[in-house]
Amino acid sequence: MIKRLSLISIFSMLPASFYYAQTTVFAYVKDDKGAPIENAEVMLQNGDEDILADKIGYFQLVDMKPGHYKITVMKPNFENKVLEFDVLANEKRKNLGTVTLYSNLGTQDLGLVLIDSSNDTDEIAAKPTLGLLHSSQDVFSNVASFDLGNYWFRPRGVDGRMSSYMINGINMANPDRGIVNYSDWGGLNDITKYPEIAENHAPSEYGFGGAGGVVSKYTNASSYRKGFQLTQSLTNRNYRYRTSLRYTSGMSRNGWVFTIMGARRWAQEGIQEGTFYDAYGTYLGIEKRFGNKHSITFNFIGSPYRRSTASPMTEEVKNYRGIHYNAYWGWQNGRKRSERIKEGFQPIFQISDFLKLGEKSNLVTTVSYQFGKDKSSRLDWYNAQNPSTLYYKNLPSYWFGREGATSEDLEEGEFLKNKWETNDPNYTQINWEALYNANRGREQSVYYLVNDVNDDKIWNAATHFTYNFGGDTSFYLNLAYQNYNSEQYREVRDLLGGDYALNQDPYASTNQPGKTGLLNETDNNIRKKVGDKIGYDYIFSRQEVNVNPSLKFRAGNFDVFVSGLFSYSSSSRDGKFKHYLYDNSYGKSKEKIFWNTGLKGQVVYRINGRNFLKYNGAFYSQAPYLTNLYPNARVNAVTPPNIQSTVINANDISYIMSTPFVKIRATAYLLNSYHGTDIQRFFADGIQLSNVDAQGNITNAQSAFVTQLMTDVEKRNMGAELGIQANILPTLVATGVVSYGEYTYRNNPAVYFMSDAAGIFPNGETYINYGKSYIRNFKVGGTPQKAYSFGLKYNSPKFWWIGASWNYLDDNYLDPSSILRTDFFVTNPNTGTPYAGVDRAEYRRLTKQVKLKDGSFFNVNAGKSFLIGKYYLLITASVNNILDNTSYATGGFEQTRNVNFADFRRDHDRENPYFAPKYFYLQGRQYFVNLQLRF
């Protein structure tokens, strides 16, 4: 009897959860070879304590109440894995199956690579390249990011603007040019790593995306490992040093958790001459849990930065000064001073609400606000000679190449050649003293520094809804709204000893005789001082709404994922300056409205547990970026004729093998784009633009800043990809990657010209149609179209590794200048007939597309991790281009200065053409050493 009562007493003291919540959730943690991972840490979001997997990788969560849960499985030297699941009221045991963790040895925290192709914005059409390295479980994508990506390789040749980068459900791309400014969260690698990735044009749960993939990261404060993480890095890239510290408090008993991080990257001088770097990164995440079904997270991200940029160069200049030469700086009072400085601070504030609506549905809503200014400085001048050392008249080739060169010309050429070969900074760098002397003794500055400013205010709201029908069928709905407002203007930065700069067109007296030349006729004061607006001032506005429903389900051996898009955007330009040539420069323009739709689909056929066939398809339209919609926005609100949404049709099919010993992906892809718009701004000599005033008088602008515009552009990107990973030994892994692409223009698009100096053309428009540009079958530039990589990596059981890879890239081209491939280029305006000497062979010789040199590179990386009690120490090192290949140009552009056949041929045939292509060169051997301490 006593024993009976004792048993009753014991059971009566058990907690109520014993009777009502006895669900056990369990799983096995293994690596990608199928081996168990012992002591993997399992962190339950909003839970009090973490648990560890045992020797066979097994873990279990007991006494789980019905609800929605998220766990993070982590282990040093492996990528984190996040799992979400639901516990139902009638479940006793829930099997999560096998949780596979992928090694990140060899790719751990190699740093943020910023590839800045906008140093010469008047010369280059904005074509963003790979900006952020990210790891992937796919061997091809992993090698493309961490090995080939260092050499400006873009998978499938896809423009970076066709991808989506999302933080807490908010698309971070700027609708101005469609690019993502990674500097806004620069240095915060520990916060943004391990995102969810949908490769290429595959559908995603989090957004429709484009042809370049979707990267989505939720920065919940509770998703980071409790404790401190200190990182110290040493490199010879844009910056030299990096220091960061992150701390996560862990969940308190009353449901609070916070994560805070600070980082700095800096260099007194980077890898290129005269460049400096100083950037900070800050993050604060505060999360509050309200039971098991509701939490709210506040995120702050702020990364002020200040850095200088480097110039492209012609081959002539590279032969004189080498690949590290930079024309944008000069000595002043014993210190290097740069004219091209980028600085900005655009903090991001976000509030995210995570709500469990029931056993089968969840809702995540984020409201975001970002504001602040980005500034880019440069030299400007008024009725004075171009002070750049790269100006063609300041180079030896100008004097050697003059027709009928005299002995005095040749003597001057030899003099300048000697100055360049001996690196006399008075001739090879900006001569700041000469600029101050030119302004001395006068009130008006003829040389001065300006800032091009973007003052942004961006509101975003996004909702991510999920509903699980049970089994393998889920519905997703993403709603997004953006309100973008950006005032873009130029301001006086430094008058270089003068009192004021004139807000007036210096070419008006010759190009527009009799007109005021005022760049803002509403302002009586044209004498501008430091901080005053000068040149242009306008506001870009866009409102955009996106609706993205998706359905994922399984039918027999097929896994199907279908995603749709419905999009609305309304855009306008509001001019704050009234330009003397353009009536529509002032005031708000009409709204430009675009409706867009899209469909993506993925079908996976499971041949068996190791072999798969996968198809991805996408067909969608995309509204023009604001800079394409208003190509000459600095002076007017004109939109290109017949501009329309770009249409993308992308398809690929893959065979995938996944075994513990071999992984293979073989893919064939085809991507067609239609109705595209490409823009380039430059200064053109000899273009002879005619304009008409209100009285019908015609004048000619012999030289002017112009905007070259191609509309209705069609492109085709097709090719094949192969990625293989083989475990030769349990500790030795081999990888091989092949990318074989053909990226071409598929039509002869229309070419239009707009000019800052022409005003109204004889056709009565603010643009002139130069007909078709014959670029069909020309290669699309900006990335190597062929790439090959082979690597070996040894992983020691004692937690150290060493790896090496050989990489080869070829078929990289400069984009063709459209005006040089038109009838206008070969037609003599005086006779209306072709220039003398024009025939098919000569035309092809002169307009042959510029192909860049191929390149072969050898990379090495190594590392070692230590676990000492509760302290985890990781040391990694990598060296790229270890053989120091300095002849590889990553990109560049044709200088479109002479736009008629006769002048172009004369220049082309010089030993060193005045207007030869300019290139960006790979900066030689680069290293990155990283130390990470967790405790």
Side-chain angles (χ1 to χ4, degrees):
M1 182 67 179
I2 295 175
K3 290 182 180 180
R4 251 181 178 175
L5 291 173
S6 298
L7 289 172
I8 293 172
S9 299
I10 291 172
F11 279 104
S12 67
M13 290 186 292
L14 291 174
S17 62
F18 181 85
Y19 303 105
Y20 302 111
Q22 298 187 37
T23 302
T24 298
V25 178
F26 65 96
Y28 293 86
V29 185
K30 297 183 179 181
D31 63 18
D32 58 348
K33 303 179 184 66
I37 299 178
E38 183 182 359
N39 290 328
E41 187 176 356
V42 182
M43 184 174 67
L44 176 66
Q45 186 176 9
N46 301 329
D48 296 327
E49 295 183 2
D50 301 338
I51 63 174
L52 298 177
D54 62 18
K55 291 183 178 181
I56 62 172
Y58 176 82
F59 71 87
Q60 64 178 19
L61 305 169
V62 299
D63 294 341
M64 301 291 287
K65 297 180 181 179
H68 181 76
Y69 294 92
K70 179 185 288 188
I71 61 173
T72 302
V73 184
M74 60 185 71
K75 172 76 174 179
N77 302 330
F78 291 88
E79 292 186 3
N80 293 355
K81 185 66 172 285
V82 178
L83 297 175
E84 294 190 49
F85 59 90
D86 293 297
V87 173
L88 304 179
N90 58 350
E91 285 185 299
K92 294 297 183 182
R93 290 175 64 80
K94 187 176 188 68
N95 185 0
L96 299 181
T98 299
V99 180
T100 303
L101 299 186
Y102 293 86
S103 171
N104 61 10
L105 295 177
T107 60
Q108 276 230 40
D109 203 5
L110 297 182
L112 182 67
V113 177
L114 288 174
I115 297 175
D116 182 7
S117 62
S118 59
N119 293 333
D120 208 302
T121 54
D122 285 335
E123 300 284 0
I124 306 173
K127 289 199 172 182
T129 59
L130 183 67
L132 182 67
L133 300 180
H134 64 262
S135 59
S136 170
Q137 299 170 7
D138 177 74
V139 59
F140 180 91
S141 299
N142 204 29
V143 171
S145 291
F146 288 98
D147 284 302
L148 301 175
N150 288 295
Y151 311 111
W152 284 41
F153 172 76
R154 291 202 309 260
R156 306 186 182 184
V158 173
D159 191 319
R161 296 177 295 183
M162 290 187 179
S163 61
S164 293
Y165 191 97
M166 308 175 74
I167 295 181
N168 298 310
I170 303 299
N171 190 341
M172 303 309 297
N174 189 316
D176 179 356
R177 293 189 295 156
I179 66 172
V180 175
N181 187 5
Y182 295 103
S183 296
D184 288 341
W185 51 90
L188 301 176
N189 303 45
D190 294 337
I191 300 300
T192 59
K193 66 182 179 180
Y194 306 136
E196 297 286 330
I197 301 172
E199 303 283 356
N200 303 308
H201 56 271
S204 167
E205 300 175 7
Y206 303 99
F208 188 81
V214 177
V215 178
S216 176
K217 176 64 180 180
Y218 280 89
T219 59
N220 308 62
S222 62
S223 64
Y224 301 100
R225 187 180 184 277
K226 180 180 178 180
F228 289 90
Q229 179 166 302
L230 173 68
T231 301
Q232 181 66 55
S233 305
L234 176 67
T235 183
N236 68 334
R237 298 178 180 178
N238 296 342
Y239 56 89
R240 299 286 185 176
Y241 312 100
R242 182 183 67 166
T243 299
S244 69
L245 180 65
R246 176 187 60 80
Y247 172 72
T248 299
S249 66
M251 186 67 66
S252 68
R253 291 185 177 181
N254 56 2
W256 288 94
V257 60
F258 71 88
T259 294
I260 187 170
M261 181 177 175
R264 187 191 181 197
R265 295 164 296 155
W266 73 98
Q268 287 188 335
E269 186 168 37
I271 192 170
Q272 291 186 274
E273 298 172 357
T275 61
F276 66 88
Y277 201 104
D278 195 13
Y280 294 83
T282 57
Y283 168 80
L284 174 64
I286 303 174
E287 185 174 344
K288 169 61 177 172
R289 178 185 66 181
F290 304 93
N292 293 325
K293 296 185 177 182
H294 189 204
S295 67
I296 294 178
T297 296
F298 167 79
N299 289 290
F300 166 79
I301 299 173
S303 296
Y305 67 91
R306 186 174 183 270
R307 61 186 178 89
S308 56
T309 62
S311 62
M313 68 188 90
T314 62
E315 191 169 358
E316 176 192 7
V317 173
K318 184 244 186 184
N319 291 337
Y320 283 131
R321 301 302 325 139
I323 60 172
H324 299 302
Y325 173 75
N326 173 22
Y328 291 157
W329 69 274
W331 291 101
Q332 183 180 13
N333 298 326
R335 301 184 64 180
K336 293 181 178 181
R337 181 181 182 182
S338 175
E339 62 144 318
R340 300 291 178 100
I341 295 176
K342 291 180 177 289
E343 54 189 341
F345 181 43
Q346 293 193 327
I348 304 166
F349 298 84
Q350 295 182 334
I351 296 179
S352 299
D353 183 86
F354 297 81
L355 185 62
K356 174 69 177 176
L357 298 176
E359 291 186 355
K360 297 184 178 181
S361 57
N362 303 284
L363 183 67
V364 181
T365 302
T366 299
V367 176
S368 173
Y369 180 60
Q370 182 178 10
F371 69 97
K373 297 180 181 180
D374 282 328
K375 299 183 179 182
S376 299
S377 71
R378 64 185 306 148
L379 274 170
D380 204 353
W381 51 94
Y382 190 98
N383 282 337
Q385 182 169 307
N386 189 335
S388 172
T389 57
L390 298 182
Y391 182 54
Y392 73 102
K393 291 184 179 179
N394 293 332
L395 292 172
S397 57
Y398 172 73
W399 301 95
F400 291 138
R402 299 187 72 178
E403 290 189 24
T406 65
S407 58
E408 289 80 5
D409 293 334
L410 298 178
E411 184 178 339
E412 180 68 19
E414 288 293 341
F415 173 80
L416 284 176
K417 181 180 178 182
N418 176 262
K419 296 299 183 181
W420 276 90
E421 289 178 339
T422 58
N423 193 24
D424 186 332
N426 291 319
Y427 294 87
T428 62
Q429 305 300 151
I430 295 173
N431 192 329
W432 290 104
E433 184 178 358
L435 301 185
Y436 276 88
N437 287 338
N439 291 338
R440 188 168 289 120
R442 62 169 72 200
E443 294 183 356
Q444 178 198 342
S445 292
V446 293
Y447 292 106
Y448 49 95
L449 281 168
V450 295
N451 284 325
D452 291 313
V453 183
N454 285 11
D455 186 358
D456 295 345
K457 298 176 179 63
I458 310 172
W459 281 99
N460 281 282
T463 290
H464 175 65
F465 173 77
T466 63
Y467 185 86
N468 185 0
F469 290 95
D472 298 303
T473 303
S474 298
F475 172 76
Y476 307 93
L477 179 63
N478 298 300
L479 305 176
Y481 168 77
Q482 182 178 81
N483 187 316
Y484 173 81
N485 183 284
S486 176
E487 184 174 7
Q488 304 189 8
Y489 57 91
R490 178 168 286 178
E491 68 180 11
V492 179
R493 181 185 180 98
D494 191 331
L495 290 167
L496 304 183
D499 292 334
Y500 62 84
L502 285 182
N503 192 23
Q504 193 170 23
D505 181 3
Y507 303 107
S509 59
T510 55
N511 290 340
Q512 298 289 343
K515 295 192 176 181
T516 66
L518 297 180
L519 300 180
N520 182 15
E521 292 187 327
T522 66
D523 186 0
N524 294 325
N525 179 22
I526 66 171
R527 298 184 175 187
K528 300 302 176 182
K529 298 183 178 297
V530 173
D532 290 344
K533 294 177 181 178
I534 189 172
Y536 64 91
D537 183 13
Y538 60 92
I539 296 175
F540 271 157
S541 298
R542 171 171 282 187
Q543 294 194 72
E544 186 169 354
V545 178
N546 290 294
V547 180
N548 169 222
S550 302
L551 181 66
K552 183 187 293 186
F553 62 93
R554 174 171 292 182
N557 287 344
F558 292 92
D559 294 330
V560 181
F561 193 171
V562 181
S563 179
L565 172 69
F566 305 93
S567 177
Y568 163 86
S569 67
S570 174
S571 307
S572 65
R573 174 196 180 273
D574 187 1
K576 301 302 179 183
F577 275 17
K578 189 177 188 307
H579 194 278
Y580 75 104
L581 290 178
Y582 301 99
D583 291 335
N584 65 352
S585 61
Y586 189 71
K588 188 172 182 179
S589 68
K590 293 182 179 179
E591 299 282 342
K592 296 295 182 180
I593 295 175
F594 291 88
W595 293 90
N596 293 285
T597 59
L599 182 66
K600 284 187 175 183
Q602 180 182 88
V603 179
V604 178
Y605 175 68
R606 288 173 282 111
I607 301 173
N608 53 43
R610 302 292 188 188
N611 297 272
F612 310 86
L613 293 176
K614 179 190 288 188
Y615 166 78
N616 289 299
F619 188 88
Y620 65 96
S621 58
Q622 178 176 299
Y625 306 114
L626 287 167
T627 50
N628 289 358
L629 192 57
Y630 301 100
N632 217 22
R634 293 184 176 183
V635 296
N636 61 45
V638 171
T639 57
N642 304 318
I643 190 169
Q644 53 190 307
S645 294
T646 302
V647 176
I648 307 294
N649 184 7
N651 298 271
D652 69 39
I653 188 166
S654 302
Y655 165 72
I656 300 170
M657 174 190 289
S658 180
T659 75
F661 307 103
V662 178
K663 291 179 174 60
I664 299 174
R665 175 169 72 83
T667 301
Y669 62 87
L670 174 64
L671 188 154
N672 290 317
S673 64
Y674 309 92
H675 311 307
T677 303
D678 284 356
I679 291 178
Q680 187 182 29
R681 277 182 60 84
F682 55 90
F683 186 83
D685 285 343
I687 195 169
Q688 298 184 352
L689 299 174
S690 298
N691 56 81
V692 181
D693 62 18
Q695 288 72 42
N697 299 314
I698 299 178
T699 57
N700 291 318
Q702 298 292 331
S703 302
F705 278 104
V706 298
T707 299
Q708 174 181 275
L709 179 72
M710 286 197 301
T711 63
D712 200 31
V713 180
E714 296 182 10
K715 300 177 185 178
R716 170 173 291 175
N717 294 29
M718 62 183 300
E721 298 170 339
L722 176 65
I724 302 176
Q725 177 179 304
N727 298 322
I728 301 174
L729 298 171
T731 56
L732 183 63
V733 179
T735 58
V737 159
V738 175
S739 177
Y740 191 93
E742 290 287 339
Y743 318 141
T744 58
Y745 290 93
R746 298 302 298 161
N747 71 332
N748 297 320
V751 179
Y752 298 89
F753 259 55
M754 303 176 180
S755 170
D756 292 3
I760 304 300
F761 289 97
N763 63 359
E765 302 286 351
T766 56
Y767 56 83
I768 188 168
N769 185 348
Y770 280 123
K772 293 182 178 181
S773 179
Y774 299 102
I775 61 172
R776 179 181 170 87
N777 295 325
F778 273 67
K779 299 296 183 70
V780 178
T783 181
Q785 303 196 11
K786 311 289 189 299
Y788 310 88
S789 179
F790 175 76
L792 289 172
K793 184 169 69 174
Y794 175 79
N795 292 315
S796 169
K798 296 185 179 180
F799 302 105
W800 64 270
W801 80 91
I802 184 169
S805 68
W806 168 85
N807 308 275
Y808 176 77
L809 300 100
D810 195 10
D811 267 13
N812 194 2
Y813 295 84
L814 298 187
D815 254 330
S817 171
S818 59
I819 186 63
L820 300 182
R821 280 86 183 176
T822 62
D823 291 333
F824 169 82
F825 174 67
V826 297
T827 301
N828 188 326
N830 297 320
T831 65
T833 60
Y835 285 98
V838 175
D839 57 39
R840 185 177 297 273
E842 183 69 354
Y843 174 79
R844 288 181 173 176
R845 180 182 75 87
L846 293 178
T847 61
K848 182 180 179 181
Q849 191 169 10
V850 178
K851 182 181 180 181
L852 304 180
K853 292 181 180 179
D854 61 347
S856 183
F857 308 95
F858 188 61
N859 300 341
V860 175
N861 64 82
K864 169 69 173 156
S865 65
F866 305 86
L867 189 60
I868 307 170
K870 67 176 183 178
Y871 294 91
Y872 171 74
L873 176 65
L874 174 67
I875 302 174
T876 64
S878 64
V879 182
N880 293 330
N881 188 19
I882 198 170
L883 300 181
D884 200 25
N885 182 342
T886 59
S887 63
Y888 183 76
T890 56
F893 53 92
E894 293 183 339
Q895 291 198 82
T896 313
R897 297 297 181 99
N898 290 312
V899 293
N900 65 73
F901 178 87
D903 291 341
F904 184 86
R905 180 170 62 173
R906 188 179 303 111
D907 187 51
H908 179 277
D909 291 340
R910 292 187 174 101
E911 180 180 358
N912 287 301
Y914 293 170
F915 305 116
K918 286 187 176 182
Y919 303 99
F920 295 97
Y921 287 94
L922 187 70
Q923 295 299 297
R925 184 184 300 112
Q926 296 184 352
Y927 64 85
F928 193 93
V929 180
N930 193 73
L931 182 148
Q932 187 179 99
L933 178 64
R934 301 180 197 163
F935 55 96

